[in-house]
């Protein structure tokens, strides 16, 4: 019996045989060609076929894991159309008289290295995407028909790494879990694992000789046990049985009130990234949408989404929620969420730079378009507006002035809208310290604990080297939440939490004791949080 540790993606357990998967590597040779025009044509044809394949992957991912998680393949589509990438490949073919596979592989490696060396986290992540699309086109040209890992029985997959395209093609009915040597907690593959609700370990020192051996993948302890003895198997099966029983119990909580035994009620809402996520929110019995991350409309678009495109998205969510609250956070672009067509300048520290409300108050045409869309959609449901990254009273006052101007425009144009609640995100130490003043300007607070944690601890949450430093239970964070809740209630407004801490069951009682009015969590966390609340006295 051997033990290997790693980092866990999901608190779940898998028991079964290990299947070692080694990706078929395409051997690319530098070959001189004579017909340049034909070789460029081969590249163009490979690119078109790659687009078709990626589109198929997008549709498959969309149907299996949702639109938000499928968005990575839209990024791949855009990269395949990237002019700089295409020009570089063609230039290499023409100037060096080399074959298309070699030009693609070389360009892919050059671009991937260039992205990997950038300081911006978002751009670094694009390195893996460049490799993925380059390998796809090379495989097409070389006639490599590798269909990925194929297995006849349920297995725990072991691999050096898994690209999102490989992960989404796996047979979900036979995939018990996976273990990889590489990867990160925030990779697209990790996100897919969470969405598929399967256990996974990353950063494990894997070995080919494990193939076919029995193992236990324990997501709770982040351990992989090779050839477990009867005692280890018994414990693992016991935990699996408990997990299954818990899932069944949680299903019984659908439709039940989110209330403690003593009668303290809490609003339990869902965080969503786009229209498709509404289905998961409803399926898990969300009482509303506490955070609609509207920036995904921009991230998933090749240009600024129009007023009507935004209006339709907000309207559909409002209608689907059938009168339940839908809180839309205005544009939060910047930091780790970069969009090319915004043409934002490179910053030394984008997390502390030009982002969110700062962009909106400076580029008011973008802001006004979004506010018009939200207000128009308010006529079809119960919508509220929330401003992110607030650090001053003047920002809130200016944002409200623009909102009032937009309302006047709509009124003059005889366009219907409702008076919506207006709130702010409390996610900077500055907003906490002036929360008593901010509370006099708005209808509610929503505490964004993710950014509040990184700004309070001066620790970049995108930097994996600081993972051990980011203490989400740090006394300073909890004290700031306490201050914010008190100042909200002293000014007769409600306060919620929409960051990751909202789903932290270790803090549920703490939030109840403070009198937090609302918790907004991922859809999969709604029922576990409800169960925890209903257990409290």
């Amino acid at each position: 019996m051997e033990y290997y540790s790693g980092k866990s993606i999901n608190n779940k357990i898998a028991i079964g045989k290990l299947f070692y998967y080694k990706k078929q590597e395409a051997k690319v040779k530098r070959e001189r060609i004579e017909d340049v025009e034909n070789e460029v044509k081969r590249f163009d044809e490979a690119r078109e076929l790659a687009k078709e394949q990626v589109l198929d992957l997008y549709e498959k991912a969309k149907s299996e894991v949702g639109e938000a998680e499928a968005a990575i393949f839209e990024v791949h589509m855009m990269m395949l159309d990237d002019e700089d990438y295409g020009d570089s490949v063609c230039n290499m073919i023409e100037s060096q008289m080399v074959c298309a596979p070699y030009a693609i592989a070389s360009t892919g490696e050059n671009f991937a290295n260039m992205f990997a060396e950038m300081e911006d986290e978002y751009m670094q992540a694009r390195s893996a995407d460049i490799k993925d699309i380059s390998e796809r086109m090379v495989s097409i040209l070389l006639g490599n028909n590798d269909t990925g890992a194929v297995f006849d029985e349920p297995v725990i997959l072991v691999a050096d790494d898994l690209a999102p395209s490989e992960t989404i093609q796996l047979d979900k009915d036979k995939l018990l879990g996976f273990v990889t040597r590489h990867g990160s907690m925030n990779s697209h593959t990790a996100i897919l694992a969470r969405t598929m609700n399967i256990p996974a370990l990353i950063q494990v020192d894997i070995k080919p000789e494990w193939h076919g051996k029995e193992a236990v993948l324990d997501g709770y302890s982040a351990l992989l046990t090779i050839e477990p003895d009867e005692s280890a198997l018994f414990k693992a099966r016991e935990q699996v049985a408990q997990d299954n029983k818990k899932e069944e119990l949680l299903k019984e909580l659908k439709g039940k009130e989110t209330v403690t035994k003593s009668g303290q009620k809490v609003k339990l809402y869902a965080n969503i990234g786009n229209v498709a996520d509404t289905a998961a929110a409803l399926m898990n019995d969300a009482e509303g949408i506490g955070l609609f991350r509207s920036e995904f409309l921009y991230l998933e678009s090749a240009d600024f989404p129009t007023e009507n495109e935004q209006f339709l998205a907000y309207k559909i969510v409002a209608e689907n929620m059938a009168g339940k609250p839908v809180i839309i956070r205005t544009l939060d672009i910047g930091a780790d969420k970069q969009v090319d067509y915004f043409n934002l300048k490179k910053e030394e520290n984008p997390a502390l730079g030009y982002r969110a409300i700062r962009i909106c108050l400076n580029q008011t045409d973008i802001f006004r378009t979004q506010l018009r869309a939200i207000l128009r959609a308010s006529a079809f449901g119960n919508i509220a507006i929330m401003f992110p990254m607030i650090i001053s009273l003047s920002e809130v006052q200016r944002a409200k002035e623009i909102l009032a101007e937009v309302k006047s425009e709509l009124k003059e144009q005889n366009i219907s809208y409702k008076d919506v609640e207006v709130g702010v995100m409390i996610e900077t130490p500055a907003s906490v310290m002036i929360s008593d003043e901010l509370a006099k300007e708005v209808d509610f607070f929503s505490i964004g604990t993710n950014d509040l944690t990184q700004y309070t601890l001066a620790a970049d949450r995108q930097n994996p080297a600081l993972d051990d430093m980011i203490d989400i239970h740090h006394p300073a964070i909890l004290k700031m939440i306490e201050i914010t809740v008190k100042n909200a209630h002293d000014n007769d407004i409600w306060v919620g939490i929409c960051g990751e801490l909202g789903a932290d069951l270790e803090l549920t009682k703490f939030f109840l004791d403070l009198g937090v009015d609302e918790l907004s969590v991922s859809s999969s966390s709604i029922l576990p949080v409800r169960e925890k609340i209903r257990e409290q006295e």
Side-chain angles (χ1 to χ4, degrees):
M1 195 163 63
E2 297 177 274
Y3 299 95
Y4 294 86
S5 63
K7 287 190 175 181
S8 176
I9 302 300
N10 261 339
N11 284 340
K12 288 181 73 69
I13 286 181
I15 305 169
K17 281 186 181 179
L18 296 173
F19 184 98
Y20 181 79
Y21 167 60
K22 184 170 178 60
K23 186 188 296 187
Q24 184 177 328
E25 295 181 4
K27 295 180 180 179
V28 182
K29 294 180 181 179
R30 181 186 176 104
E31 296 179 350
R32 182 175 176 79
I33 52 98
E34 299 298 331
D35 191 341
V36 170
E37 186 177 339
N38 183 63
E39 210 62 21
V40 170
K41 183 182 177 183
R42 288 184 68 211
F43 163 59
D44 288 335
E45 290 173 349
R47 181 160 52 172
E48 290 306 311
L49 184 52
K51 287 181 193 176
E52 292 177 16
Q53 292 179 356
V54 172
L55 182 59
D56 288 342
L57 289 174
Y58 171 77
E59 294 298 336
K60 180 177 172 63
K62 188 176 175 182
S63 65
E64 292 184 1
V65 296
E67 195 168 349
E69 286 70 26
I72 176 58
F73 299 113
E74 289 185 322
V75 174
H76 285 199
M77 291 283 286
M78 287 188 284
M79 286 185 164
L80 284 164
D81 278 325
D82 184 77
E83 289 184 8
D84 291 333
Y85 179 89
D87 289 347
S88 181
V89 173
C90 292
N91 179 65
M92 187 174 288
I93 293 172
E94 293 165 359
S95 63
Q96 298 183 33
M97 304 288 286
V98 293
C99 62
Y102 181 82
I104 293 168
S106 297
T107 299
E109 186 175 353
N110 291 339
F111 271 63
N113 290 338
M114 177 178 67
F115 279 95
E117 290 171 4
M118 291 182 178
E119 292 182 10
D120 184 84
E121 292 284 336
Y122 177 84
M123 300 308 288
Q124 287 176 3
R126 302 287 68 78
S127 176
D129 298 328
I130 288 287
K131 288 180 181 176
D132 203 342
I133 63 168
S134 298
E135 289 173 0
R136 178 174 298 281
M137 285 188 285
V138 168
S139 294
I140 289 170
L141 287 169
L142 297 182
N144 180 359
N145 297 317
D146 184 10
T147 55
V150 179
F151 25 83
D152 299 323
E153 60 182 329
V155 298
I156 299 171
L157 187 66
V158 178
D160 272 341
D161 204 355
L162 289 171
S165 55
E166 292 172 311
T167 307
I168 203 64
Q169 291 181 89
L170 296 170
D171 185 344
K172 309 304 179 299
D173 293 332
K174 295 187 178 73
L175 183 65
L176 301 173
F178 65 77
V179 181
T180 62
R181 184 188 304 279
H182 304 296
S184 71
M185 298 294 287
N186 297 311
S187 70
H188 288 110
T189 300
I191 293 169
L192 287 172
R194 292 190 193 100
T195 305
M196 294 187 292
N197 200 27
I198 59 173
L201 290 182
I202 59 173
Q203 299 177 26
V204 177
D205 187 18
I206 66 167
K207 298 178 181 178
E209 56 264 31
W210 290 352
H211 184 76
K213 292 185 177 181
E214 290 290 330
V216 171
L217 191 172
D218 188 340
Y220 291 96
S221 60
L223 280 178
L224 180 70
T225 305
I226 308 295
E227 295 186 320
D229 60 20
E230 281 304 315
S231 175
L233 280 172
F234 178 79
K235 288 180 182 177
R237 288 169 182 151
E238 204 171 41
Q239 183 63 59
V240 170
Q242 288 178 18
D243 289 347
N244 291 339
K245 185 178 180 182
K246 191 171 184 179
E247 286 185 12
E248 288 301 315
L249 286 171
L250 289 177
K251 288 177 184 176
E252 297 177 10
L253 291 170
K254 285 191 177 183
K256 300 287 178 67
E257 276 193 304
T258 307
V259 59
T260 65
K261 292 179 180 178
S262 62
Q264 181 181 353
K265 292 185 179 181
V266 180
K267 292 178 283 187
L268 190 52
Y269 296 169
N271 298 333
I272 66 170
N274 53 37
V275 175
D277 291 345
T278 315
L282 290 170
M283 186 173 66
N284 285 279
D285 207 27
E287 297 166 20
I289 302 299
L291 172 62
F292 184 164
R293 298 183 178 93
S294 66
E295 59 272 13
F296 281 90
L297 291 169
Y298 296 78
L299 289 166
E300 295 172 1
S301 176
D303 202 349
F304 292 100
T306 65
E307 177 186 324
N308 212 47
E309 287 171 339
Q310 293 186 65
F311 160 69
L312 290 173
Y314 305 143
K315 173 178 177 284
I316 291 169
V317 173
E319 289 178 332
N320 287 346
M321 292 307 293
K324 295 178 180 178
V326 176
I327 301 173
I328 301 173
R329 178 175 71 186
T330 57
L331 180 62
D332 189 11
I333 287 295
D336 60 319
K337 290 170 284 191
Q338 297 289 322
V339 179
D340 289 344
Y341 57 82
F342 271 74
N343 294 317
L344 301 179
K345 292 181 180 178
K346 184 180 180 301
E347 298 178 296
E348 289 299 320
N349 193 337
L352 300 179
Y354 187 55
R355 60 174 294 195
I357 197 68
R358 299 168 185 179
I359 293 176
C360 291
L361 295 183
N362 187 48
Q363 296 174 243
T364 55
D365 54 333
I366 298 173
F367 194 34
R368 289 175 183 276
T369 298
Q370 181 174 34
L371 292 178
R372 281 181 61 92
I374 294 173
L375 286 172
R376 286 173 57 197
S378 70
F380 299 88
N382 182 8
I383 285 177
I385 293 176
M386 181 162 66
F387 304 128
M389 276 298 293
I390 295 298
I391 64 164
S392 69
L393 198 61
S394 61
E395 287 174 329
V396 179
Q397 292 168 338
R398 179 58 184 142
K400 288 172 64 181
E401 285 174 7
I402 295 172
L403 180 62
E405 292 167 6
V406 171
K407 286 181 178 179
S408 295
E409 290 173 7
L410 292 175
K411 191 172 183 179
E412 288 174 9
Q413 296 165 2
N414 291 318
I415 297 174
S416 299
Y417 68 88
K418 293 178 185 175
D419 278 327
V420 297
E421 277 197 335
V422 175
V424 294
M425 294 276 288
I426 301 295
E427 51 191 338
T428 65
S431 62
V432 173
M433 300 313 292
I434 61 168
S435 54
D436 56 335
E437 299 174 48
L438 293 174
K440 295 176 174 62
E441 290 286 337
V442 296
D443 300 303
F444 66 92
F445 287 157
S446 189
I447 304 173
T449 58
N450 302 344
D451 270 329
L452 183 60
T453 299
Q454 81 163 339
Y455 293 134
T456 302
L457 302 183
D460 183 0
R461 62 192 177 103
Q462 298 295 322
N463 188 341
L466 301 180
D467 280 354
D468 295 336
M469 187 179 293
I470 298 177
D471 177 9
I472 58 175
H473 293 175
H474 194 290
I477 308 300
L478 303 185
K479 184 66 176 176
M480 287 194 168
I481 294 173
E482 184 179 355
I483 291 170
T484 302
V485 174
K486 181 180 185 304
N487 285 336
H489 290 165
D490 284 350
N491 286 278
D492 298 320
I493 68 169
W494 65 267
V495 58
I497 292 175
C498 65
E500 291 294 320
L501 283 190
D504 190 331
L505 300 183
E506 292 180 27
L507 291 178
T508 305
K509 187 177 186 306
F510 171 74
F511 295 143
L512 289 169
D513 290 343
L514 290 183
V516 169
D517 303 288
E518 176 249 24
L519 295 172
S520 190
V521 299
S522 64
S523 294
S524 61
S525 296
I526 290 171
L527 295 179
V529 172
R530 179 173 295 162
E531 180 187 44
K532 188 71 174 180
I533 291 171
R534 289 174 62 88
E535 288 175 353
Q536 305 303 310
E537 295 298 333

